Every structure is written in C-alpha cells, then in structure tokens.
Amino acid sequence: MKVLVTVKRVIDPYVKVRVKSDGTGVETANVKMTINPFCEIAVEQAVRMKEAGTVTEIVAVSIGVQQCQETLRTAMAMGADRGILVETAADMQPLAIAKLLKAIVEKEQPKLVIVGKQAIDDDSNQTGQMLAALLNWPQSAFTSKIEVNGDAADVTREIDGGLEKLAIKLPAVVTTDLRLNEPRYVTLPNIMKAKKKPLEVLKPEALGVDVTPRLKTLSVTEPPKRSSGVKVADVAELIAKLKNEARVI
C-alpha cells in the first residue's frame, strides 16, 4: 500500500529561539532549521513498515517556502521514495495545511497518512485531526504503536489515563507520539541517493485551496524571567508564602 507522510521545516530544537525586535514573531533568519521531530518519527514509521513489506511506496509532503525541499530530501534520505512540496510564503495555519493535504490525498490515493502529532514551533496539534475530519476517515491521534492487518490497523494511543488500544479501518490518518519509535541516523550514501529522487513542486492555487490566514498574531514576547528562590524556616512559613505571595493555595 501507499503511505503519505507529512514533514515540516522548523527551527532546530537545540537552538535558542529569539523573538524579533518588533515582536511580530520569532527570528528565523540565519537560524539552523531541521525536520520537525514528530515528523521524523512519522517518516521512520513509514520506512519500517516498508522494510517489513507492508508498504510499497512512501510519499513525503511538505508545505512552505522553497527551502522546505531540504526537509523533503532529509525524509527521502531516511527512506521516502519521492517528495511533494506545496510551495508558498504565506503564514500557514493548521486548517489551510489540512485542506492542502486533503487535495494531495485525493490526488495520490494513499491508504494511510502519517502525521507528526504536533510541530515544535506552534504546538497546534490540530492538522492531523482536521485532515481526518475533512476526509471523513478514521483517525488515531498520539499513536505509540501501529500494526497493519490487511484493510485494518491495530493501534495503541497515549492518553491521560494510560494506553488505549483501537482497531481502525483503512484508509486512515495516524498522528505519531514520541514513543512510537526512535528515528535512524541518515547516512551519507543515502543523502546522495536522495538527491536523485523525484521531487514535485506545486502551488496552492493549482490545488484549488485558499491559504489566506484566518488568525492574526498580535504580538510575541519572551516569557518573564524566573525570579530567584527563597529559603523558609518551617512549613508554616512555606504555607504562608504560598497563600499570601504566590497565591496558589
């Protein structure tokens, strides 16, 4: 079966994020970018399923600026067969992304779509759920295990109370949890091979999707610096400070 995997280009998680001087967002100029960690887990899962003989083709999809081609090449170096970039400089929000992915799903006809549960830049955690709703497909969010059995899949989800096991019919949308797998390191030979793999570039207009932002960011500020701690003499003083100063009890 064919699997479609989404990948997003984000600021490297090990880079200190700086807010722009005008407060309109975070600084991305001359900042190291990488594939979103949850998207990397999604690609790894698809590759493992292909190695197990369950999957025949992996299509990686990214939406964003031209530099997202680098992110797609990383996915292809991990094992994806080809890439699709929906190139746009617009501020992409979850609903617009879900609509674009819906158009690509209708074009590619995969039996499974694997999406990272959230991106580490906006932490929206909405795209996978919105895509499933638009397609009217079954979904499994926060998935930590998946086994495909013919036209169905057995999945294990991470929930507040522990683990939830479900059986879902394919085609379906799955979003990846951190414990699903540990992504492999990309080797130099595979990086060189990825450069020769096909990469298709589309525009939102060609897919008939309006990506105009529906939400507006008013301002972005850094969180307040943490104040230094204080020592208390006894429990009574601690309770008094929590009640009168911190006002948490």
PDB file of all heavy atoms in Angstrom, residues 11 15-27 217-226:
ATOM      1  N   ILE A  11      12.604  25.352  13.358  1.00  0.00           N
ATOM      2  CA  ILE A  11      13.874  25.719  13.979  1.00  0.00           C
ATOM      3  C   ILE A  11      14.416  24.511  14.735  1.00  0.00           C
ATOM      4  O   ILE A  11      13.667  23.801  15.401  1.00  0.00           O
ATOM      5  CB  ILE A  11      13.694  26.917  14.931  1.00  0.00           C
ATOM      6  CG1 ILE A  11      13.264  28.156  14.144  1.00  0.00           C
ATOM      7  CG2 ILE A  11      14.971  27.196  15.708  1.00  0.00           C
ATOM      8  CD1 ILE A  11      12.974  29.362  15.017  1.00  0.00           C
ATOM      9  N   VAL A  15      18.476  24.910  19.212  1.00  0.00           N
ATOM     10  CA  VAL A  15      18.824  26.317  19.015  1.00  0.00           C
ATOM     11  C   VAL A  15      17.953  27.176  19.931  1.00  0.00           C
ATOM     12  O   VAL A  15      16.752  26.940  20.064  1.00  0.00           O
ATOM     13  CB  VAL A  15      18.610  26.734  17.543  1.00  0.00           C
ATOM     14  CG1 VAL A  15      18.773  28.241  17.373  1.00  0.00           C
ATOM     15  CG2 VAL A  15      19.580  25.988  16.633  1.00  0.00           C
ATOM     16  N   LYS A  16      18.559  28.162  20.565  1.00  0.00           N
ATOM     17  CA  LYS A  16      17.802  29.080  21.418  1.00  0.00           C
ATOM     18  C   LYS A  16      16.960  29.998  20.535  1.00  0.00           C
ATOM     19  O   LYS A  16      17.476  30.689  19.667  1.00  0.00           O
ATOM     20  CB  LYS A  16      18.740  29.915  22.305  1.00  0.00           C
ATOM     21  CG  LYS A  16      17.998  30.900  23.204  1.00  0.00           C
ATOM     22  CD  LYS A  16      18.937  31.633  24.129  1.00  0.00           C
ATOM     23  CE  LYS A  16      18.220  32.726  24.908  1.00  0.00           C
ATOM     24  NZ  LYS A  16      17.057  32.230  25.675  1.00  0.00           N
ATOM     25  N   VAL A  17      15.665  29.990  20.762  1.00  0.00           N
ATOM     26  CA  VAL A  17      14.739  30.792  19.964  1.00  0.00           C
ATOM     27  C   VAL A  17      14.745  32.229  20.455  1.00  0.00           C
ATOM     28  O   VAL A  17      14.666  32.493  21.658  1.00  0.00           O
ATOM     29  CB  VAL A  17      13.306  30.214  20.043  1.00  0.00           C
ATOM     30  CG1 VAL A  17      12.331  31.085  19.263  1.00  0.00           C
ATOM     31  CG2 VAL A  17      13.290  28.789  19.506  1.00  0.00           C
ATOM     32  N   ARG A  18      14.858  33.181  19.516  1.00  0.00           N
ATOM     33  CA  ARG A  18      14.865  34.602  19.856  1.00  0.00           C
ATOM     34  C   ARG A  18      13.656  35.287  19.225  1.00  0.00           C
ATOM     35  O   ARG A  18      13.302  35.020  18.078  1.00  0.00           O
ATOM     36  CB  ARG A  18      16.155  35.271  19.369  1.00  0.00           C
ATOM     37  CG  ARG A  18      17.415  34.768  20.079  1.00  0.00           C
ATOM     38  CD  ARG A  18      18.672  35.437  19.564  1.00  0.00           C
ATOM     39  NE  ARG A  18      18.994  35.022  18.203  1.00  0.00           N
ATOM     40  CZ  ARG A  18      18.862  35.782  17.143  1.00  0.00           C
ATOM     41  NH1 ARG A  18      18.398  37.024  17.257  1.00  0.00           N
ATOM     42  NH2 ARG A  18      19.181  35.339  15.944  1.00  0.00           N
ATOM     43  N   VAL A  19      13.041  36.172  19.992  1.00  0.00           N
ATOM     44  CA  VAL A  19      11.894  36.924  19.497  1.00  0.00           C
ATOM     45  C   VAL A  19      12.387  38.113  18.685  1.00  0.00           C
ATOM     46  O   VAL A  19      13.377  38.760  19.041  1.00  0.00           O
ATOM     47  CB  VAL A  19      11.019  37.415  20.674  1.00  0.00           C
ATOM     48  CG1 VAL A  19       9.883  38.294  20.170  1.00  0.00           C
ATOM     49  CG2 VAL A  19      10.467  36.229  21.438  1.00  0.00           C
ATOM     50  N   LYS A  20      11.729  38.410  17.570  1.00  0.00           N
ATOM     51  CA  LYS A  20      12.102  39.560  16.756  1.00  0.00           C
ATOM     52  C   LYS A  20      11.955  40.854  17.550  1.00  0.00           C
ATOM     53  O   LYS A  20      11.120  40.951  18.452  1.00  0.00           O
ATOM     54  CB  LYS A  20      11.219  39.630  15.504  1.00  0.00           C
ATOM     55  CG  LYS A  20      11.476  38.528  14.494  1.00  0.00           C
ATOM     56  CD  LYS A  20      10.581  38.688  13.284  1.00  0.00           C
ATOM     57  CE  LYS A  20      10.831  37.601  12.247  1.00  0.00           C
ATOM     58  NZ  LYS A  20       9.939  37.745  11.073  1.00  0.00           N
ATOM     59  N   SER A  21      12.766  41.840  17.179  1.00  0.00           N
ATOM     60  CA  SER A  21      12.755  43.114  17.904  1.00  0.00           C
ATOM     61  C   SER A  21      11.413  43.826  17.820  1.00  0.00           C
ATOM     62  O   SER A  21      11.022  44.559  18.728  1.00  0.00           O
ATOM     63  CB  SER A  21      13.865  44.032  17.382  1.00  0.00           C
ATOM     64  OG  SER A  21      13.705  44.256  15.985  1.00  0.00           O
ATOM     65  N   ASP A  22      10.675  43.597  16.712  1.00  0.00           N
ATOM     66  CA  ASP A  22       9.385  44.265  16.574  1.00  0.00           C
ATOM     67  C   ASP A  22       8.231  43.453  17.163  1.00  0.00           C
ATOM     68  O   ASP A  22       7.071  43.873  17.117  1.00  0.00           O
ATOM     69  CB  ASP A  22       9.090  44.571  15.095  1.00  0.00           C
ATOM     70  CG  ASP A  22       9.097  43.314  14.230  1.00  0.00           C
ATOM     71  OD1 ASP A  22       9.265  42.206  14.786  1.00  0.00           O
ATOM     72  OD2 ASP A  22       8.931  43.433  13.008  1.00  0.00           O
ATOM     73  N   GLY A  23       8.534  42.272  17.721  1.00  0.00           N
ATOM     74  CA  GLY A  23       7.514  41.476  18.383  1.00  0.00           C
ATOM     75  C   GLY A  23       6.514  40.800  17.468  1.00  0.00           C
ATOM     76  O   GLY A  23       5.452  40.367  17.920  1.00  0.00           O
ATOM     77  N   THR A  24       6.851  40.673  16.185  1.00  0.00           N
ATOM     78  CA  THR A  24       5.909  40.068  15.235  1.00  0.00           C
ATOM     79  C   THR A  24       6.055  38.549  15.140  1.00  0.00           C
ATOM     80  O   THR A  24       5.239  37.896  14.501  1.00  0.00           O
ATOM     81  CB  THR A  24       6.104  40.669  13.839  1.00  0.00           C
ATOM     82  OG1 THR A  24       7.483  40.474  13.427  1.00  0.00           O
ATOM     83  CG2 THR A  24       5.789  42.165  13.846  1.00  0.00           C
ATOM     84  N   GLY A  25       7.084  37.995  15.747  1.00  0.00           N
ATOM     85  CA  GLY A  25       7.300  36.560  15.673  1.00  0.00           C
ATOM     86  C   GLY A  25       8.678  36.205  16.191  1.00  0.00           C
ATOM     87  O   GLY A  25       9.318  37.010  16.893  1.00  0.00           O
ATOM     88  N   VAL A  26       9.165  35.023  15.846  1.00  0.00           N
ATOM     89  CA  VAL A  26      10.500  34.606  16.259  1.00  0.00           C
ATOM     90  C   VAL A  26      11.458  34.756  15.093  1.00  0.00           C
ATOM     91  O   VAL A  26      11.064  34.706  13.927  1.00  0.00           O
ATOM     92  CB  VAL A  26      10.501  33.158  16.777  1.00  0.00           C
ATOM     93  CG1 VAL A  26       9.625  33.028  18.012  1.00  0.00           C
ATOM     94  CG2 VAL A  26      10.052  32.186  15.701  1.00  0.00           C
ATOM     95  N   GLU A  27      12.717  34.936  15.404  1.00  0.00           N
ATOM     96  CA  GLU A  27      13.747  35.156  14.394  1.00  0.00           C
ATOM     97  C   GLU A  27      14.095  33.841  13.698  1.00  0.00           C
ATOM     98  O   GLU A  27      14.415  32.840  14.352  1.00  0.00           O
ATOM     99  CB  GLU A  27      14.994  35.737  15.054  1.00  0.00           C
ATOM    100  CG  GLU A  27      16.043  36.220  14.074  1.00  0.00           C
ATOM    101  CD  GLU A  27      15.535  37.339  13.179  1.00  0.00           C
ATOM    102  OE1 GLU A  27      15.251  38.428  13.698  1.00  0.00           O
ATOM    103  OE2 GLU A  27      15.411  37.085  11.957  1.00  0.00           O
ATOM    104  N   THR A 217      -1.551  37.109  14.500  1.00  0.00           N
ATOM    105  CA  THR A 217      -0.713  37.214  15.693  1.00  0.00           C
ATOM    106  C   THR A 217      -0.559  38.681  16.060  1.00  0.00           C
ATOM    107  O   THR A 217      -0.039  39.475  15.279  1.00  0.00           O
ATOM    108  CB  THR A 217       0.676  36.594  15.436  1.00  0.00           C
ATOM    109  OG1 THR A 217       0.519  35.222  15.076  1.00  0.00           O
ATOM    110  CG2 THR A 217       1.541  36.689  16.677  1.00  0.00           C
ATOM    111  N   LEU A 218      -1.022  39.039  17.243  1.00  0.00           N
ATOM    112  CA  LEU A 218      -0.950  40.436  17.680  1.00  0.00           C
ATOM    113  C   LEU A 218       0.452  40.792  18.134  1.00  0.00           C
ATOM    114  O   LEU A 218       0.981  41.839  17.768  1.00  0.00           O
ATOM    115  CB  LEU A 218      -1.958  40.680  18.807  1.00  0.00           C
ATOM    116  CG  LEU A 218      -3.432  40.432  18.443  1.00  0.00           C
ATOM    117  CD1 LEU A 218      -4.325  40.698  19.646  1.00  0.00           C
ATOM    118  CD2 LEU A 218      -3.846  41.302  17.260  1.00  0.00           C
ATOM    119  N   SER A 219       1.077  39.921  18.929  1.00  0.00           N
ATOM    120  CA  SER A 219       2.443  40.182  19.385  1.00  0.00           C
ATOM    121  C   SER A 219       3.035  38.917  19.966  1.00  0.00           C
ATOM    122  O   SER A 219       2.303  38.015  20.396  1.00  0.00           O
ATOM    123  CB  SER A 219       2.472  41.297  20.441  1.00  0.00           C
ATOM    124  OG  SER A 219       1.800  40.889  21.624  1.00  0.00           O
ATOM    125  N   VAL A 220       4.346  38.848  19.934  1.00  0.00           N
ATOM    126  CA  VAL A 220       5.079  37.723  20.507  1.00  0.00           C
ATOM    127  C   VAL A 220       6.093  38.281  21.506  1.00  0.00           C
ATOM    128  O   VAL A 220       6.855  39.189  21.177  1.00  0.00           O
ATOM    129  CB  VAL A 220       5.813  36.910  19.417  1.00  0.00           C
ATOM    130  CG1 VAL A 220       6.620  35.781  20.045  1.00  0.00           C
ATOM    131  CG2 VAL A 220       4.817  36.356  18.415  1.00  0.00           C
ATOM    132  N   THR A 221       6.078  37.776  22.714  1.00  0.00           N
ATOM    133  CA  THR A 221       7.010  38.230  23.752  1.00  0.00           C
ATOM    134  C   THR A 221       7.659  37.028  24.425  1.00  0.00           C
ATOM    135  O   THR A 221       7.084  35.931  24.464  1.00  0.00           O
ATOM    136  CB  THR A 221       6.281  39.066  24.823  1.00  0.00           C
ATOM    137  OG1 THR A 221       5.237  38.274  25.414  1.00  0.00           O
ATOM    138  CG2 THR A 221       5.674  40.327  24.219  1.00  0.00           C
ATOM    139  N   GLU A 222       8.832  37.235  24.947  1.00  0.00           N
ATOM    140  CA  GLU A 222       9.513  36.180  25.692  1.00  0.00           C
ATOM    141  C   GLU A 222       8.854  36.014  27.061  1.00  0.00           C
ATOM    142  O   GLU A 222       8.315  36.973  27.621  1.00  0.00           O
ATOM    143  CB  GLU A 222      10.990  36.525  25.864  1.00  0.00           C
ATOM    144  CG  GLU A 222      11.787  36.482  24.568  1.00  0.00           C
ATOM    145  CD  GLU A 222      13.283  36.626  24.813  1.00  0.00           C
ATOM    146  OE1 GLU A 222      13.673  36.655  26.002  1.00  0.00           O
ATOM    147  OE2 GLU A 222      14.033  36.705  23.841  1.00  0.00           O
ATOM    148  N   PRO A 223       8.860  34.807  27.620  1.00  0.00           N
ATOM    149  CA  PRO A 223       8.283  34.620  28.959  1.00  0.00           C
ATOM    150  C   PRO A 223       9.098  35.390  29.993  1.00  0.00           C
ATOM    151  O   PRO A 223      10.303  35.612  29.811  1.00  0.00           O
ATOM    152  CB  PRO A 223       8.385  33.108  29.174  1.00  0.00           C
ATOM    153  CG  PRO A 223       9.473  32.656  28.250  1.00  0.00           C
ATOM    154  CD  PRO A 223       9.400  33.564  27.061  1.00  0.00           C
ATOM    155  N   PRO A 224       8.466  35.826  31.085  1.00  0.00           N
ATOM    156  CA  PRO A 224       9.205  36.563  32.111  1.00  0.00           C
ATOM    157  C   PRO A 224      10.302  35.705  32.734  1.00  0.00           C
ATOM    158  O   PRO A 224      10.154  34.476  32.849  1.00  0.00           O
ATOM    159  CB  PRO A 224       8.124  36.922  33.132  1.00  0.00           C
ATOM    160  CG  PRO A 224       7.037  35.908  32.908  1.00  0.00           C
ATOM    161  CD  PRO A 224       7.061  35.617  31.451  1.00  0.00           C
ATOM    162  N   LYS A 225      11.394  36.346  33.076  1.00  0.00           N
ATOM    163  CA  LYS A 225      12.500  35.610  33.680  1.00  0.00           C
ATOM    164  C   LYS A 225      12.095  35.107  35.066  1.00  0.00           C
ATOM    165  O   LYS A 225      11.390  35.779  35.809  1.00  0.00           O
ATOM    166  CB  LYS A 225      13.730  36.505  33.792  1.00  0.00           C
ATOM    167  CG  LYS A 225      14.335  36.857  32.439  1.00  0.00           C
ATOM    168  CD  LYS A 225      15.628  37.646  32.593  1.00  0.00           C
ATOM    169  CE  LYS A 225      16.238  37.945  31.227  1.00  0.00           C
ATOM    170  NZ  LYS A 225      17.500  38.723  31.355  1.00  0.00           N
ATOM    171  N   ARG A 226      12.559  33.930  35.366  1.00  0.00           N
ATOM    172  CA  ARG A 226      12.210  33.298  36.633  1.00  0.00           C
ATOM    173  C   ARG A 226      12.938  34.003  37.782  1.00  0.00           C
ATOM    174  O   ARG A 226      14.147  34.220  37.713  1.00  0.00           O
ATOM    175  CB  ARG A 226      12.594  31.821  36.592  1.00  0.00           C
ATOM    176  CG  ARG A 226      12.137  31.026  37.799  1.00  0.00           C
ATOM    177  CD  ARG A 226      12.458  29.548  37.609  1.00  0.00           C
ATOM    178  NE  ARG A 226      12.054  28.770  38.757  1.00  0.00           N
ATOM    179  CZ  ARG A 226      12.200  27.451  38.852  1.00  0.00           C
ATOM    180  NH1 ARG A 226      12.754  26.798  37.835  1.00  0.00           N
ATOM    181  NH2 ARG A 226      11.813  26.801  39.925  1.00  0.00           N
TER     182      ARG A 226
END
